[in-house]
Amino acid sequence: MRGLFRFFRKPETVAGTLILAVLAVMALASPLLFPGDPQAIAGPALLPPFQDWSLPLGTDRLGRDVLAELFYGARTSLAVGLAAAAAALALGAVIGTLAGFAGGIADDALMRLTDAFQTVPGFLLALAFVSVVGPSLMVVVIAIALSAWTGPARVARAEVLSIRERDYVAAARVAGMHPLEIAFREVLPNALPPVLALSSIIVAGAVLTEAALSFLGLGDPNRVTWGGMIAEGRAVLRSAPYLSIIPGIALVSTVLGVYLAGEGIVETTAVRRGLS
C-alpha cells in the first residue's frame, strides 16, 4: 500500500496513469463499440465533427468513421509499443547478461555488435528493415525492437559486471551450477530492475516510430494506425484539418502518458530499493 501511495502521490503520475487507462479501454472496447471493419464507409465523405451524432468525430475523405479509426488506432499503437518494448528488453537483457558474465572475447564481440547497431539511427534502421522485408505488424515490431535493444543491453551488462563477483554467485559456482544457469537464474533477475526502468522510453519511442512508418506508407495496410490517419488528412489539411489534428492529439497524449507513468514507476522503484 505504501508503494501504491508513493506512485499516486504526484499529480503528473496520476495524469499519465489516467491517460494510459483511457487508451487501454479504447483498445479493448474497440471491437465491441465498433464491430465490423473500421475502414468501411460509414457516411458521406469529409463530414465535419459534431454534425451527425452517429458519427461524432466526422468522416475522412472516403467516408470512414474517424472515431472508429481512432479507437482501432489505439489498439494498434499499444500493441506495437508493448510488443516492441518486450522484445527489445528481452534481447538486450540476454545479450547484456552474456557479455557481462562471460567477459573476455565474448564481451568484446557482443559489445562491438552493440556499437554497430548503435551507430545507425534507430528510425533509419527500422525504415530500412521494413522497406526490405515488407510492411506488416510483426515486421514493424521486429524492426523497432532491433533499433531499441542496445540501451537495455548496455545497462544489463553494467549491472551484471557489478553482480557477478558477489558471494551468492561464487557459492553457485562452488555448488557446480552451469555458467549459463548462474547467469540467467542467479544474476539476471537481480540485474533486471534498472533494465526495466527503460521500458517507458522504449514504449514511447516505439509508438512514435510506428506512427512515422505508417505516415510514410510502411505500416501494416490491413490495420488502422494514427500515423496513417495523419497521412490521410495531409491531402485535405486546409479544408479538413481535424483529420490530422485528432490522431495527432491522440499520439501526443499516448507518448506523454507513457512517459509520465513510467517516471512514476521508476521513482517508486528507486525509493523502495533505497529503503530495502
Side-chain angles (χ1 to χ4, degrees):
M1 290 298 293
R2 287 184 179 180
L4 194 61
F5 175 75
R6 290 193 200 98
F7 180 74
F8 288 109
R9 184 175 56 185
K10 293 189 174 182
E12 57 267 25
T13 303
V14 175
T17 305
L18 288 176
I19 292 172
L20 292 183
V22 170
L23 291 170
V25 170
M26 289 173 62
L28 294 173
S30 53
L32 301 176
L33 297 176
F34 304 99
D37 186 3
Q39 295 180 311
I41 296 175
L46 296 177
L47 179 69
F50 312 120
Q51 299 295 316
D52 183 349
W53 288 109
S54 64
L55 300 166
L57 294 184
T59 59
D60 63 7
R61 292 192 303 164
L62 299 178
R64 296 173 295 194
D65 187 354
V66 174
L67 184 61
E69 291 184 304
L70 192 69
F71 270 64
Y72 277 89
R75 192 181 184 91
T76 302
S77 292
L78 290 181
V80 170
L82 295 175
L89 290 170
L91 179 60
V94 169
I95 291 179
T97 301
L98 291 174
F101 192 79
I105 297 176
D107 185 16
D108 290 339
L110 290 173
M111 286 300 99
R112 297 298 77 74
L113 177 66
T114 304
D115 291 339
F117 272 85
Q118 210 162 19
T119 55
V120 181
F123 178 70
L124 291 182
L125 180 61
L127 182 65
F129 186 84
V130 175
S131 299
V132 172
V133 179
S136 71
L137 196 64
M138 183 58 66
V139 171
V140 170
V141 169
I142 295 173
I144 296 172
L146 287 176
S147 66
W149 66 269
T150 55
R154 289 193 174 279
V155 173
R157 175 181 177 271
E159 288 295 310
V160 170
L161 286 175
S162 66
I163 292 173
R164 68 179 185 179
E165 302 301 331
R166 295 184 182 177
D167 292 340
Y168 66 87
V169 178
R173 289 195 183 99
V174 172
M177 291 180 64
H178 192 277
L180 289 178
E181 187 178 3
I182 297 174
F184 291 104
R185 187 174 176 180
E186 302 292 335
V187 177
L188 179 58
N190 293 295
L192 272 182
V195 177
L196 295 178
L198 299 174
S199 58
S200 60
I201 298 174
I202 297 176
V203 170
V207 171
L208 287 175
T209 302
E210 184 278 326
L213 291 172
S214 297
F215 181 82
L216 296 175
L218 293 174
D220 191 333
N222 299 316
R223 290 181 178 268
V224 178
T225 64
W226 289 337
M229 292 175 67
I230 295 173
E232 175 70 21
R234 179 179 53 178
V236 290
L237 192 59
R238 293 194 176 187
S239 58
Y242 65 91
L243 292 179
S244 294
I245 292 174
I246 291 173
I249 292 174
L251 185 60
V252 172
S253 300
T254 300
V255 174
L256 185 62
V258 169
Y259 176 77
L260 293 177
E263 285 294 303
I265 293 173
V266 171
E267 290 181 10
T268 303
T269 304
V271 170
R272 293 185 65 181
R273 290 182 70 190
L275 294 174
S276 58

